[in-house]
Amino acid sequence: MAPLMPTASAFNGSLETGVRAVFVLHAHFPRAVDLNRLTAMDYLVVRTSVLDGPADLHPPTPIMSPVTQVRRKSVQSAVALMMSRGLVEQVVDESGILFQAGDNAEFFVTALQTPYLRQLYERAEWLAGYFQDYNDEAFDDLMRDLLSNWVSEFQDEASGPT
């Protein structure tokens, strides 16, 4: 008998990542964001402590590596899944392709009431407030600083104890 879903991952799959994207975009509504920013926010919404925000939603890992660098494809697939359900909409303007919460996002976000998703909602709202006045340049500068710290952390881990 073949496994039901041999390639499906229980963690960070399209559904889980898509739910995070809907919560983040709902919190940012009516603002639309590009895929790069949404990918970064997918990481930051569960790692709010890196911005001196609420405690992280997910447990710490040995290396807080820049998973945003490898998460883009996953976020892109997740957004496509959520777009097919009317939870995310694609917006095209002079800056490119952007995404915002779709018509069904409000119902979706308010209907989900598990403790984890309530905490995700609170962190998405906090993140939206944190970045409220950030333009693209300021956001990119912040991400470059965070990436620089993560690279240093990785190099320290790779070189071992001194």
Side-chain angles (χ1 to χ4, degrees):
M1 180 174 184
L4 294 176
M5 298 179 65
T7 60
S9 172
F11 302 105
N12 288 320
S14 292
L15 181 59
E16 180 182 349
T17 304
V19 168
R20 283 195 301 267
V22 172
F23 275 66
V24 165
L25 292 173
H26 177 268
H28 282 77
F29 190 83
R31 188 174 188 180
V33 300
D34 67 14
L35 188 60
N36 287 338
R37 186 179 284 222
L38 186 57
T39 301
M41 288 189 189
D42 177 62
Y43 176 78
L44 293 171
V45 76
V46 296
R47 301 281 181 215
T48 45
S49 70
V50 300
L51 302 173
D52 296 325
D56 290 346
L57 189 55
H58 288 179
T61 56
I63 297 176
M64 303 291 279
S65 64
V67 290
T68 58
Q69 300 296 311
V70 296
R71 300 261 326 131
R72 184 182 164 92
K73 269 189 164 182
S74 179
V75 171
Q76 191 171 20
S77 296
V79 166
L81 174 64
M82 295 300 150
M83 285 176 57
S84 73
R85 304 299 185 260
L87 298 168
V88 172
E89 291 181 2
Q90 183 175 300
V91 178
V92 178
D93 70 9
E94 66 278 351
S95 66
I97 298 172
L98 307 171
F99 302 97
Q100 71 179 167
D103 291 339
N104 298 331
E106 174 72 22
F107 174 77
F108 184 77
V109 167
T110 56
L112 299 175
Q113 295 291 320
T114 67
Y116 173 84
L117 291 172
R118 292 292 87 208
Q119 292 180 49
L120 178 62
Y121 179 83
E122 292 167 7
R123 282 156 178 82
E125 291 284 324
W126 181 86
L127 199 62
Y130 186 90
F131 286 118
Q132 183 176 2
D133 297 325
Y134 272 66
N135 62 22
D136 288 341
E137 185 178 337
F139 186 84
D140 291 345
D141 287 346
L142 175 66
M143 293 310 297
R144 260 191 296 281
D145 287 346
L146 290 175
L147 183 61
S148 174
N149 291 338
W150 287 323
V151 168
S152 295
E153 177 184 328
F154 178 75
Q155 289 171 339
D156 290 346
E157 283 290 323
S159 64
T162 54

